Structure formats: structure tokens, C-alpha cells
């Protein structure tokens, strides 16, 4: 009888331990789910509008000096609850303007770039851009294959004049963005296949990020309304 009771006691103890482990696991899963809900419930920042450049430059991997951006304009338009279309044109002094367009998607408290993988017929996302917002100021760090572009922008009037030297490239980017948006939104082979894939072309070139963050801190701790944009200077 004593042996039998001892066996039952051991069995009960093991069952209790398993129940505790199961309860702990369920509680952990519940906490993770709540945390995920909180993250996903964070309101998408409102970044739409026109922005003019206050300060901008680029660092290339094979140089030791930065390359100042002489003129630039950034247009952002909300196209869904979490997606924003953007068009940007930059001009480094002495060079022709360079444009870019695309879609920014907000997820888990940051913006990602929405891309098309044409060969595999899918949409994916990368950490190719970092965005910060403070009142009417916005900063962008754009990671490309051989350089990092740093820009600080100030929100401006949509109807303000655009530099003549930027207009042709800006119009071209608007047309190319329209084609890109149509493809990414309406192509049945692509839509409905969203998936997150992080920075695919290697690690971002972040060597000079800390220098830029100090510059951003300077602008955001002074009166942003006193900052002049390049468009405040007559061409």
C-alpha cells in the first residue's frame, strides 16, 4: 500500500509541474499577443505633404568627404491607412538632378520601403530608409548600395514655386511613380502577396549616422520656424 501511494504522489507531482509549465507558456503567449496588438495599434504618423530641403548631403563608401545636396524637394501622399507614395528630387551642386519614387509602408513603429521583385512576382519590404518627424520637420536617411543620403526637410506650401532646374526631373518622376503605383496596386500577379523581407543588398552603410543625428538634434531643439529652406533663396 505504501508503494502504491508513493507512485500516485509522484504522478500527481509530475502532472502539477506540467500544468504549471502549460499555464506559464499560455501566459507568455498571451503577453506576446498583447504586445503585438499594442505595437500594431500605434497610429501611423501623418507625413503627407510637400517638404523643402533645409540640409542635406551624401556619404559614399569610397570617399572621405560628404557631397552636399544643393537643392531638393520631397512630395509625400497618403494612399492607404499605412502606405504613402513619395517622389523626391535632389541636386548636388555641379551635377544634374537625380529623382526617386516609391511607396513607404508603416509597420511595427517604423517605415519600410515597398518594392517589387519582378523575377519572382512578389512585393516585399526593406529597411532602405529611416524617417523621423518633429513638428514641421522631417529627416530621411536613405540607404543605397554604395552610399547613404542624409536630408532634413521642412514642410512647406504645396503651391510654392519649384526650382526651374528640378522641374523636368520632378515631372518625369511623377509619371514613373504613376506607372509604379498602378503596377504594385493592380497587377493580379503581385497584389495579395505582400511579405516582409529586410534589407537585402547587405548591411546599410551607417558609419556616419551618429553625425547626422547630432545635426538633427540641433535643428529640432531650436525654433523650426526660423529655419530657411533652399527654396527661400531666390534662384
Amino acid at each position: 500500500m505504501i508503494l502504491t501511494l508513493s507512485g500516485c504522489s509522484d504522478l500527481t507531482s509530475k502532472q502539477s509541474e506540467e500544468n504549471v509549465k502549460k499555464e506559464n507558456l499560455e501566459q507568455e503567449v498571451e503577453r506576446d499577443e498583447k504586445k503585438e496588438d499594442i505595437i500594431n495599434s500605434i497610429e501611423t504618423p501623418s507625413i503627407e505633404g510637400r517638404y523643402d530641403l533645409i540640409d542635406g548631403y551624401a556619404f559614399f563608401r569610397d570617399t572621405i568627404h560628404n557631397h552636399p545636396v544643393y537643392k531638393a524637394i520631397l512630395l509625400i501622399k497618403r494612399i492607404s491607412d499605412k502606405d504613402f507614395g513619395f517622389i523626391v528630387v535632389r541636386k548636388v551642386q555641379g551635377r544634374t538632378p537625380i529623382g526617386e519614387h516609391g511607396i513607404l509602408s508603416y509597420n511595427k513603429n517604423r517605415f519600410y520601403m515597398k518594392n517589387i521583385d519582378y523575377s519572382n512576382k512578389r512585393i516585399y519590404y526593406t529597411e532602405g530608409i529611416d524617417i523621423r518627424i518633429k513638428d514641421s520637420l522631417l529627416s530621411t536617411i536613405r540607404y543605397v548600395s554604395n552610399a547613404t543620403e542624409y536630408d532634413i526637410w521642412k514642410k512647406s506650401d504645396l503651391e510654392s514655386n519649384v526650382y526651374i532646374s528640378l522641374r523636368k526631373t520632378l515631372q518625369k518622376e511623377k509619371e514613373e511613380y504613376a506607372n509604379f503605383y498602378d503596377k504594385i496596386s493592380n497587377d493580379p500577379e503581385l497584389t495579395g502577396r505582400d511579405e516582409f523581407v529586410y534589407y537585402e543588398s547587405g548591411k546599410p552603410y551607417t558609419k556616419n549616422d551618429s553625425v547626422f543625428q547630432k545635426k538633427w538634434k540641433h535643428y529640432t531643439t531650436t525654433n523650426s520656424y526660423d529655419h530657411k529652406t533652399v527654396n527661400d533663396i531666390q534662384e
Side-chain angles (χ1 to χ4, degrees):
M1 290 291 289
I2 294 174
L3 289 174
T4 303
L5 288 172
S6 175
C8 289
S9 176
D10 290 343
L11 181 60
T12 303
S13 176
K14 288 180 180 179
Q15 288 176 338
S16 298
E17 289 178 5
E18 289 177 358
N19 289 336
V20 170
K21 289 181 180 179
K22 184 178 180 181
E23 288 177 5
N24 289 340
L25 181 61
E26 290 175 349
Q27 290 174 2
E28 186 177 345
V29 170
E30 186 176 351
R31 284 195 299 269
D32 289 342
E33 288 177 347
K34 287 181 178 179
K35 185 178 180 180
E36 185 75 14
D37 289 341
I38 291 172
I39 291 173
N40 290 332
S41 66
I42 296 174
E43 185 178 354
T44 303
S46 177
I47 61 171
E48 62 268 33
R50 167 181 165 168
Y51 295 85
D52 291 329
L53 185 72
I54 294 176
D55 198 342
Y57 56 95
F59 269 101
F60 293 85
R61 292 177 185 267
D62 57 351
T63 61
I64 59 174
H65 301 293
N66 63 19
H67 297 257
V69 178
Y70 180 46
K71 306 168 185 174
I73 183 172
L74 171 64
L75 304 176
I76 302 177
K77 181 179 180 180
R78 183 187 286 270
I79 54 179
S80 72
D81 289 342
K82 293 185 177 295
D83 287 353
F84 299 81
F86 76 90
I87 297 168
V88 61
V89 177
R90 298 182 183 88
K91 187 180 188 304
V92 175
Q93 193 164 10
R95 301 185 181 184
T96 56
I98 297 175
E100 185 182 14
H101 60 271
I103 293 175
L104 302 170
S105 186
Y106 193 73
N107 183 65
K108 295 184 179 179
N109 206 28
R110 69 155 293 153
F111 284 99
Y112 294 84
M113 293 194 69
K114 201 170 187 177
N115 302 276
I116 298 177
D117 179 351
Y118 289 97
S119 60
N120 293 310
K121 301 285 187 181
R122 66 184 178 119
I123 297 170
Y124 67 99
Y125 302 79
T126 66
E127 297 175 331
I129 193 167
D130 185 70
I131 294 177
R132 291 190 178 190
I133 308 161
K134 176 70 173 179
D135 300 327
S136 63
L137 300 182
L138 180 144
S139 76
T140 57
I141 303 179
R142 177 72 175 98
Y143 303 107
V144 294
S145 60
N146 65 334
T148 306
E149 299 166 354
Y150 302 92
D151 296 304
I152 295 176
W153 311 84
K154 181 180 177 182
K155 201 165 190 177
S156 64
D157 188 344
L158 283 169
E159 302 303 320
S160 296
N161 289 331
V162 178
Y163 272 116
I164 294 174
S165 57
L166 300 181
R167 291 176 188 173
K168 185 177 180 180
T169 306
L170 181 61
Q171 182 58 38
K172 178 184 176 183
E173 290 300 321
K174 286 181 178 181
E175 293 169 1
E176 291 185 357
Y177 167 77
N179 293 332
F180 174 79
Y181 174 77
D182 183 64
K183 185 78 174 174
I184 209 167
S185 302
N186 302 317
D187 189 334
E189 292 186 325
L190 294 171
T191 56
R193 296 188 60 198
D194 290 10
E195 53 190 289
F196 274 89
V197 178
Y198 297 111
Y199 201 84
E200 291 193 329
S201 57
K203 288 186 177 182
Y205 187 53
T206 61
K207 182 178 180 180
N208 300 287
D209 282 11
S210 61
V211 176
F212 179 74
Q213 299 304 347
K214 290 178 182 178
K215 189 181 287 284
W216 169 247
K217 183 178 181 180
H218 165 73
Y219 281 108
T220 56
T221 52
T222 58
N223 189 347
S224 64
Y225 295 99
D226 291 338
H227 299 315
K228 287 187 176 182
T229 69
V230 293
N231 278 350
D232 294 325
I233 305 170
Q234 294 297 317
E235 191 171 29

